[in-house]
Amino acid sequence: MLSAISNWFLFDVVQEMKPDYIQMQVAESILFVGKAVRVLRNPSPSFRSQELGSHQQGLKTLNKQSGPTGGFPLQKESFLAVKPLHDAKLLPQSEADKIAAMLEELKEMPEFHKRSFEYAIDSIRTIAATHLWQLVVIHADLNGHLKALKDYFLLAKGDFFQCFLEESRSLMRLPPRPGSAEADLKVPFQQAAIKTIGDDDKYFSRVSLRMPLLESTTTLKGDISRLKASDDGISGTLSNIYGNSSVGASLDGWDGIALEYGVDWPLQLLFTREVLAKYCKVFQYLIRLKRIQLELEKSWAEAMQQDHADSALERKDRTNRLISQQRRQQRMPMWRVRQHMTYLITNLQFYIQVDVIESQWNLLQERVEASKDFTELAKYHQEYLSALISQSFLDIGSVSRILDSIIKLCLQLCRVIEQYEGTPNTVELEQITEEFNKKSNSLYTILRSSKLAGSQRAPFLRQFLLRLNYNSFFE
């Protein structure tokens, strides 16, 4: 029942109406019990039919095992049987009777006894929280949905997104068409799914690609000129993406790629709009990193093809040898800065995917398994999301702006490599190199600051800095 879920976030404790002798924590426990019982006693029709279908499937399996002539008698409570929702209620009558007995005992007391009252409320809250946990984790398959969010929003299915970016690369080299950008992207999205995702993935159908309305589509030159003119005036920064669901004009207009996830009852209790928005913003960050890594790899592959073509000409005509050698020498600074960019982006990706996402995911799994309380479960999931955001630096404006600038410089270099197959534009290349060196050194300096060293990011941040400064690369 949708209203039971939607009303969950409408009810609140009114401080002015709360009796002075009841603490706020106790009042919030009473509110939680009321909301939990309302949810447990009012499942959605689709959830009821799903549970009933599971029950019927369980009976079919049991009948097949017993044989057509009833090879063995069905026990009254067989462990193979799947209990339907209307028999095994989400809040069993025995538990409801237990709650009623505790309330009746409080009612019959000659005078109000604060300790007995608080103990009874805490006991009732534990019962409600336990059954709500069972509803969300066991009946609603929470772990499966958490894994799906990790696979698609946190790019754990790397082969799928690699294929998607390969399929959509030619499309993304052009400015997105405001009226059809989303429809255009769905074609390579589905092609990548056909190639990499099996039929057994029942969660992919819940994932949908979205392209928010583009405020404007700017040309590459216009954005590059603004990038050179002012670091503070860069539009579409990571900090803006994190703080605002709308995405402004970016370097090529494709930074607004977003995902949506279909959530059924009762998972809306955990996966609220705000929570899914955070997942989406982490996704936008990660897909930009993966895309720029692919562009850097492709630019290197294309450059090597050109180099092999030059070598072939050298072998055919020795008079071209000197020209080819000079051309190769002129391209060396371009390969050097490309290598430095690849080094930084690759290390950043590895840090986020392994040191941050995988470690936090393992911690969340341990906590979900150990917890039997819905309140604890919700808290652990919020801590998981907060850790992803903070340890990925999405909540630090200065770092986000620098990373945003670095990503744009990487894409700018890839375009330079494509445009100048022979001799690169020396002036433009020097500007890109100088700007990249400045931004990357600023990033390293900020990440080494004492303020960050003393935060919760410290253990993971040290690993990232150690990789970045391998062989004293930055120092």
Side-chain angles (χ1 to χ4, degrees), residues 53-84:
S54 299
H55 171 62
Q56 292 172 345
Q57 184 63 36
L59 290 179
K60 287 179 183 178
T61 304
L62 192 63
N63 289 334
K64 285 181 182 178
Q65 293 175 347
S66 63
T69 59
F72 57 86
L74 290 177
Q75 300 297 321
K76 184 178 291 185
E77 290 292 339
S78 172
F79 68 90
L80 291 173
V82 181
K83 294 183 179 180

Side-chain angles (χ1 to χ4, degrees), residues 255-306:
D255 293 341
I257 297 175
L259 292 182
E260 287 185 0
Y261 190 79
V263 181
D264 292 336
W265 188 97
L267 290 177
Q268 296 100 326
L269 294 174
L270 278 179
F271 303 141
T272 62
R273 288 184 179 181
E274 291 76 15
V275 165
L276 291 177
K278 289 181 180 179
Y279 271 109
C280 185
K281 285 147 193 169
V282 176
F283 164 77
Q284 290 179 316
Y285 178 38
L286 295 177
I287 198 68
R288 290 187 74 195
L289 288 177
K290 192 161 187 69
R291 183 185 168 209
I292 201 61
Q293 183 191 39
L294 176 65
E295 289 296 322
L296 289 168
E297 290 173 355
K298 291 293 184 182
S299 66
W300 174 252
E302 291 167 0
M304 288 300 97
Q305 288 181 355
Q306 179 66 33

Side-chain angles (χ1 to χ4, degrees), residues 146-158 161 259 278-284 286-287 290 349 352-354 356-358 360-361 364 381 384-385 388-389 392 394:
L146 284 173
K147 180 65 167 56
L149 288 169
K150 176 174 178 279
D151 285 343
Y152 297 107
F153 284 78
L154 305 183
L155 273 58
K157 280 191 179 293
F161 286 102
L259 292 182
K278 289 181 180 179
Y279 271 109
C280 185
K281 285 147 193 169
V282 176
F283 164 77
Q284 290 179 316
L286 295 177
I287 198 68
K290 192 161 187 69
Q349 271 194 311
I352 295 174
Q353 291 292 346
V354 177
V356 177
I357 294 176
E358 282 302 322
Q360 291 300 323
W361 169 256
L364 177 65
H381 185 243
Y384 165 72
L385 267 181
L388 294 183
I389 290 170
S392 299
L394 281 169

Side-chain angles (χ1 to χ4, degrees), residues 60 67 106 118 140 179 202 214 239 244 350 371 392 413 418 450 459 462:
K60 287 179 183 178
L106 288 175
E118 292 179 353
K202 61 181 181 180
L214 300 171
S239 56
N244 191 345
F350 187 88
S371 169
S392 299
L413 178 71
E418 291 173 5
S450 57
R462 280 195 291 270

